[in-house]
Amino acid sequence: MLDTTVSPLPTSVTDNGDPVGHNRSDREPIAPDGWPVLGQRYEVPARHGRAVRLKQGQAIKIINTHGLQVCDTWAFKADDLSEFMSMEHARAFIDRIIPQPGDPLVSNRRRPIMTLLADTSPGVHDTLIAACDAYRYQNLGVHEYHDNCADNMRLALKAIGLRAREVPQPFNLWMNIPVGADNGIQWLPPVSKAGDHVVLRAEMDCVVVMSACPQDIVPINNKQPVEVHFEVLASA
Amino acid sequence: MLDTTVSPLPTSVTDNGDPVGHNRSDREPIAPDGWPVLGQRYEVPARHGRAVRLKQGQAIKIINTHGLQVCDTWAFKADDLSEFMSMEHARAFIDRIIPQPGDPLVSNRRRPIMTLLADTSPGVHDTLIAACDAYRYQNLGVHEYHDNCADNMRLALKAIGLRAREVPQPFNLWMNIPVGADNGIQWLPPVSKAGDHVVLRAEMDCVVVMSACPQDIVPINNKQPVEVHFEVLASA
């Protein structure tokens, strides 16, 4: 049952860009300052988030290790987190609702912050659905704290000493939300396979945040949230 | 030609929620405090914005006076503008990319802030495309200030003494952006006719902002931006 009339959540905290709840995402950075070892494979644990810094020209390879996992992905300009990869601007820039290899991904100032360089999966991703958050699970009938991508983004940034003013619409890698001719959407498991990956090149110094989506009620992760991995490459 | 490498815009001002440029939208409020005379017909002049306050249970009728005009529309919670009607949350809530009569429109806290009650047009609206802004027109080759919906939102709020932290994805009334089976989008003129209107009921005390979209380069307003009108109704 939907219950949208009463909210026991400390929403005034969220308003300031802080998470509603906690998991380990704020205590397990890849490095205190977020800088990666180039070429090293890092894990985004199931239901958790990680942030990593990229210099302009470097690339990040994000790997769907087990094949049926959604990875919510954000990018923020390193020295000004109020500029970020924005799906509503990206869609207008590329005239598509799902980016394809070669597509620039623009920021809310309509300049490329990343480019989708490569994609070994069938290319089914989502740009339409907000990051899951505490309200989402409350609406789905969960009364305790549930890990969620919005908090994972906030916590992963906090782990490297950063804070964003808002939770932008993420680039939901491998999320399978087909849009029908009637404008209806469906929530389906990914069509990717184990080991599929995408490569995104940084077009400016930026911070990339990933959340291994903890959604286990609707089937977008095949109801089995698992880990994903990533590597930062010197160039691409 | 796209030129996204150089930005002469004073973006640091925009970061703080202020407009990049100006038109009359900040000097012509419907009333200094934004409260409407119920039942009175107000104009949103061509290329400009207006803000109006609604109490919970009141409704706003927005009229496509000439038929081929897009009206970018936002709603903010009256006593906390960090909560607002959010298309990325609304799409997930209604399982559709275009709201239909009867659909609740939820906020970024996933509770209804408005409900789309009635729509005399064919129901072609958009929730996917960011409000046009100074960067958009710069990318389209316009080198002078061009009226834009993002600034209109900021200026119309300023006209009644308010300020929002961000420019949310608007509910773009009558904007005709069909999504193809290949996930591509098109930019087409509205399919509505003169006098078509929608009715939106406020589910909480809120501020509604409208911008008569000044886009005159791509054909979404049939390249002839004109005015729209609105009325606030005691109930609906």
Side-chain angles (χ1 to χ4, degrees), chain A residues 35-52:
Chain A
W35 284 112
V37 176
L38 296 183
Q40 180 166 320
R41 188 162 292 203
Y42 293 98
E43 180 183 351
V44 183
R47 313 173 72 96
H48 285 68
R50 289 292 183 272
V52 61

PDB file of all heavy atoms in Angstrom, chain A residues 35-52:
ATOM      1  N   TRP A  35      41.554   9.545  -4.938  1.00  0.00           N
ATOM      2  CA  TRP A  35      42.382   9.296  -6.130  1.00  0.00           C
ATOM      3  C   TRP A  35      42.643   7.802  -6.273  1.00  0.00           C
ATOM      4  O   TRP A  35      43.081   7.143  -5.340  1.00  0.00           O
ATOM      5  CB  TRP A  35      43.719  10.046  -6.044  1.00  0.00           C
ATOM      6  CG  TRP A  35      43.580  11.507  -6.313  1.00  0.00           C
ATOM      7  CD1 TRP A  35      43.758  12.519  -5.415  1.00  0.00           C
ATOM      8  CD2 TRP A  35      43.227  12.125  -7.554  1.00  0.00           C
ATOM      9  NE1 TRP A  35      43.536  13.734  -6.023  1.00  0.00           N
ATOM     10  CE2 TRP A  35      43.213  13.523  -7.333  1.00  0.00           C
ATOM     11  CE3 TRP A  35      42.918  11.643  -8.823  1.00  0.00           C
ATOM     12  CZ2 TRP A  35      42.898  14.447  -8.341  1.00  0.00           C
ATOM     13  CZ3 TRP A  35      42.600  12.555  -9.824  1.00  0.00           C
ATOM     14  CH2 TRP A  35      42.594  13.931  -9.575  1.00  0.00           C
ATOM     15  N   PRO A  36      42.434   7.266  -7.459  1.00  0.00           N
ATOM     16  CA  PRO A  36      42.607   5.823  -7.668  1.00  0.00           C
ATOM     17  C   PRO A  36      44.038   5.473  -8.063  1.00  0.00           C
ATOM     18  O   PRO A  36      44.789   6.336  -8.531  1.00  0.00           O
ATOM     19  CB  PRO A  36      41.671   5.556  -8.856  1.00  0.00           C
ATOM     20  CG  PRO A  36      41.802   6.812  -9.684  1.00  0.00           C
ATOM     21  CD  PRO A  36      41.935   7.950  -8.670  1.00  0.00           C
ATOM     22  N   VAL A  37      44.394   4.228  -7.893  1.00  0.00           N
ATOM     23  CA  VAL A  37      45.594   3.683  -8.547  1.00  0.00           C
ATOM     24  C   VAL A  37      45.156   3.299  -9.957  1.00  0.00           C
ATOM     25  O   VAL A  37      44.220   2.512 -10.127  1.00  0.00           O
ATOM     26  CB  VAL A  37      46.124   2.446  -7.791  1.00  0.00           C
ATOM     27  CG1 VAL A  37      47.311   1.825  -8.543  1.00  0.00           C
ATOM     28  CG2 VAL A  37      46.512   2.819  -6.366  1.00  0.00           C
ATOM     29  N   LEU A  38      45.806   3.862 -10.937  1.00  0.00           N
ATOM     30  CA  LEU A  38      45.385   3.618 -12.322  1.00  0.00           C
ATOM     31  C   LEU A  38      45.504   2.132 -12.656  1.00  0.00           C
ATOM     32  O   LEU A  38      46.499   1.482 -12.326  1.00  0.00           O
ATOM     33  CB  LEU A  38      46.218   4.452 -13.292  1.00  0.00           C
ATOM     34  CG  LEU A  38      46.070   5.974 -13.148  1.00  0.00           C
ATOM     35  CD1 LEU A  38      46.888   6.697 -14.221  1.00  0.00           C
ATOM     36  CD2 LEU A  38      44.611   6.408 -13.213  1.00  0.00           C
ATOM     37  N   GLY A  39      44.472   1.620 -13.268  1.00  0.00           N
ATOM     38  CA  GLY A  39      44.484   0.225 -13.689  1.00  0.00           C
ATOM     39  C   GLY A  39      44.091  -0.769 -12.605  1.00  0.00           C
ATOM     40  O   GLY A  39      43.901  -1.945 -12.890  1.00  0.00           O
ATOM     41  N   GLN A  40      43.990  -0.296 -11.370  1.00  0.00           N
ATOM     42  CA  GLN A  40      43.591  -1.215 -10.288  1.00  0.00           C
ATOM     43  C   GLN A  40      42.080  -1.432 -10.321  1.00  0.00           C
ATOM     44  O   GLN A  40      41.323  -0.501 -10.582  1.00  0.00           O
ATOM     45  CB  GLN A  40      44.005  -0.642  -8.932  1.00  0.00           C
ATOM     46  CG  GLN A  40      43.617  -1.546  -7.751  1.00  0.00           C
ATOM     47  CD  GLN A  40      44.306  -1.142  -6.468  1.00  0.00           C
ATOM     48  OE1 GLN A  40      45.487  -0.777  -6.457  1.00  0.00           O
ATOM     49  NE2 GLN A  40      43.572  -1.196  -5.369  1.00  0.00           N
ATOM     50  N   ARG A  41      41.669  -2.660 -10.073  1.00  0.00           N
ATOM     51  CA  ARG A  41      40.227  -2.955 -10.074  1.00  0.00           C
ATOM     52  C   ARG A  41      39.654  -2.752  -8.669  1.00  0.00           C
ATOM     53  O   ARG A  41      40.162  -3.307  -7.691  1.00  0.00           O
ATOM     54  CB  ARG A  41      39.974  -4.390 -10.558  1.00  0.00           C
ATOM     55  CG  ARG A  41      38.472  -4.672 -10.751  1.00  0.00           C
ATOM     56  CD  ARG A  41      38.215  -5.893 -11.614  1.00  0.00           C
ATOM     57  NE  ARG A  41      38.616  -5.673 -12.997  1.00  0.00           N
ATOM     58  CZ  ARG A  41      38.123  -6.360 -14.038  1.00  0.00           C
ATOM     59  NH1 ARG A  41      37.197  -7.287 -13.853  1.00  0.00           N
ATOM     60  NH2 ARG A  41      38.533  -6.105 -15.263  1.00  0.00           N
ATOM     61  N   TYR A  42      38.644  -1.907  -8.583  1.00  0.00           N
ATOM     62  CA  TYR A  42      37.996  -1.622  -7.301  1.00  0.00           C
ATOM     63  C   TYR A  42      36.574  -2.184  -7.302  1.00  0.00           C
ATOM     64  O   TYR A  42      35.929  -2.250  -8.347  1.00  0.00           O
ATOM     65  CB  TYR A  42      37.902  -0.108  -7.074  1.00  0.00           C
ATOM     66  CG  TYR A  42      39.233   0.571  -6.884  1.00  0.00           C
ATOM     67  CD1 TYR A  42      39.857   1.218  -7.952  1.00  0.00           C
ATOM     68  CD2 TYR A  42      39.858   0.585  -5.647  1.00  0.00           C
ATOM     69  CE1 TYR A  42      41.078   1.858  -7.783  1.00  0.00           C
ATOM     70  CE2 TYR A  42      41.086   1.227  -5.466  1.00  0.00           C
ATOM     71  CZ  TYR A  42      41.680   1.860  -6.542  1.00  0.00           C
ATOM     72  OH  TYR A  42      42.877   2.487  -6.360  1.00  0.00           O
ATOM     73  N   GLU A  43      36.089  -2.507  -6.125  1.00  0.00           N
ATOM     74  CA  GLU A  43      34.730  -3.023  -5.982  1.00  0.00           C
ATOM     75  C   GLU A  43      33.783  -1.932  -5.487  1.00  0.00           C
ATOM     76  O   GLU A  43      34.143  -1.145  -4.610  1.00  0.00           O
ATOM     77  CB  GLU A  43      34.732  -4.179  -4.980  1.00  0.00           C
ATOM     78  CG  GLU A  43      33.336  -4.789  -4.754  1.00  0.00           C
ATOM     79  CD  GLU A  43      33.337  -5.898  -3.697  1.00  0.00           C
ATOM     80  OE1 GLU A  43      34.417  -6.313  -3.264  1.00  0.00           O
ATOM     81  OE2 GLU A  43      32.235  -6.328  -3.310  1.00  0.00           O
ATOM     82  N   VAL A  44      32.605  -1.910  -6.070  1.00  0.00           N
ATOM     83  CA  VAL A  44      31.481  -1.204  -5.446  1.00  0.00           C
ATOM     84  C   VAL A  44      30.635  -2.305  -4.826  1.00  0.00           C
ATOM     85  O   VAL A  44      29.949  -3.043  -5.540  1.00  0.00           O
ATOM     86  CB  VAL A  44      30.642  -0.402  -6.467  1.00  0.00           C
ATOM     87  CG1 VAL A  44      29.539   0.367  -5.752  1.00  0.00           C
ATOM     88  CG2 VAL A  44      31.516   0.520  -7.296  1.00  0.00           C
ATOM     89  N   PRO A  45      30.718  -2.466  -3.519  1.00  0.00           N
ATOM     90  CA  PRO A  45      30.034  -3.611  -2.901  1.00  0.00           C
ATOM     91  C   PRO A  45      28.520  -3.548  -3.118  1.00  0.00           C
ATOM     92  O   PRO A  45      27.949  -2.466  -3.281  1.00  0.00           O
ATOM     93  CB  PRO A  45      30.374  -3.468  -1.410  1.00  0.00           C
ATOM     94  CG  PRO A  45      31.545  -2.551  -1.345  1.00  0.00           C
ATOM     95  CD  PRO A  45      31.405  -1.632  -2.519  1.00  0.00           C
ATOM     96  N   ALA A  46      27.905  -4.694  -3.107  1.00  0.00           N
ATOM     97  CA  ALA A  46      26.453  -4.768  -3.232  1.00  0.00           C
ATOM     98  C   ALA A  46      25.796  -3.776  -2.278  1.00  0.00           C
ATOM     99  O   ALA A  46      26.203  -3.647  -1.125  1.00  0.00           O
ATOM    100  CB  ALA A  46      25.975  -6.190  -2.913  1.00  0.00           C
ATOM    101  N   ARG A  47      24.837  -3.008  -2.772  1.00  0.00           N
ATOM    102  CA  ARG A  47      24.016  -2.083  -1.984  1.00  0.00           C
ATOM    103  C   ARG A  47      24.787  -0.859  -1.501  1.00  0.00           C
ATOM    104  O   ARG A  47      24.262  -0.109  -0.679  1.00  0.00           O
ATOM    105  CB  ARG A  47      23.377  -2.796  -0.781  1.00  0.00           C
ATOM    106  CG  ARG A  47      22.721  -4.136  -1.116  1.00  0.00           C
ATOM    107  CD  ARG A  47      22.265  -4.862   0.134  1.00  0.00           C
ATOM    108  NE  ARG A  47      21.104  -4.207   0.713  1.00  0.00           N
ATOM    109  CZ  ARG A  47      19.852  -4.600   0.483  1.00  0.00           C
ATOM    110  NH1 ARG A  47      19.588  -5.621  -0.312  1.00  0.00           N
ATOM    111  NH2 ARG A  47      18.845  -3.949   1.034  1.00  0.00           N
ATOM    112  N   HIS A  48      26.018  -0.638  -1.971  1.00  0.00           N
ATOM    113  CA  HIS A  48      26.835   0.466  -1.469  1.00  0.00           C
ATOM    114  C   HIS A  48      27.297   1.386  -2.603  1.00  0.00           C
ATOM    115  O   HIS A  48      27.039   1.115  -3.778  1.00  0.00           O
ATOM    116  CB  HIS A  48      28.030  -0.081  -0.690  1.00  0.00           C
ATOM    117  CG  HIS A  48      27.652  -0.589   0.670  1.00  0.00           C
ATOM    118  ND1 HIS A  48      26.878  -1.714   0.839  1.00  0.00           N
ATOM    119  CD2 HIS A  48      27.901  -0.117   1.920  1.00  0.00           C
ATOM    120  CE1 HIS A  48      26.676  -1.924   2.137  1.00  0.00           C
ATOM    121  NE2 HIS A  48      27.289  -0.962   2.816  1.00  0.00           N
ATOM    122  N   GLY A  49      27.977   2.464  -2.207  1.00  0.00           N
ATOM    123  CA  GLY A  49      28.446   3.446  -3.170  1.00  0.00           C
ATOM    124  C   GLY A  49      29.925   3.724  -3.031  1.00  0.00           C
ATOM    125  O   GLY A  49      30.519   3.510  -1.968  1.00  0.00           O
ATOM    126  N   ARG A  50      30.525   4.192  -4.116  1.00  0.00           N
ATOM    127  CA  ARG A  50      31.938   4.581  -4.127  1.00  0.00           C
ATOM    128  C   ARG A  50      32.118   5.821  -4.996  1.00  0.00           C
ATOM    129  O   ARG A  50      31.440   5.973  -6.025  1.00  0.00           O
ATOM    130  CB  ARG A  50      32.815   3.463  -4.703  1.00  0.00           C
ATOM    131  CG  ARG A  50      32.971   2.248  -3.809  1.00  0.00           C
ATOM    132  CD  ARG A  50      33.777   2.567  -2.542  1.00  0.00           C
ATOM    133  NE  ARG A  50      33.976   1.378  -1.710  1.00  0.00           N
ATOM    134  CZ  ARG A  50      33.119   0.973  -0.759  1.00  0.00           C
ATOM    135  NH1 ARG A  50      32.009   1.649  -0.508  1.00  0.00           N
ATOM    136  NH2 ARG A  50      33.399  -0.109  -0.040  1.00  0.00           N
ATOM    137  N   ALA A  51      33.065   6.661  -4.595  1.00  0.00           N
ATOM    138  CA  ALA A  51      33.408   7.843  -5.387  1.00  0.00           C
ATOM    139  C   ALA A  51      34.867   7.755  -5.793  1.00  0.00           C
ATOM    140  O   ALA A  51      35.700   7.231  -5.043  1.00  0.00           O
ATOM    141  CB  ALA A  51      33.166   9.113  -4.572  1.00  0.00           C
ATOM    142  N   VAL A  52      35.171   8.274  -6.978  1.00  0.00           N
ATOM    143  CA  VAL A  52      36.544   8.227  -7.480  1.00  0.00           C
ATOM    144  C   VAL A  52      36.820   9.476  -8.307  1.00  0.00           C
ATOM    145  O   VAL A  52      35.935   9.969  -9.014  1.00  0.00           O
ATOM    146  CB  VAL A  52      36.775   6.933  -8.307  1.00  0.00           C
ATOM    147  CG1 VAL A  52      35.863   6.870  -9.525  1.00  0.00           C
ATOM    148  CG2 VAL A  52      38.234   6.794  -8.728  1.00  0.00           C
TER     149      VAL A  52
END
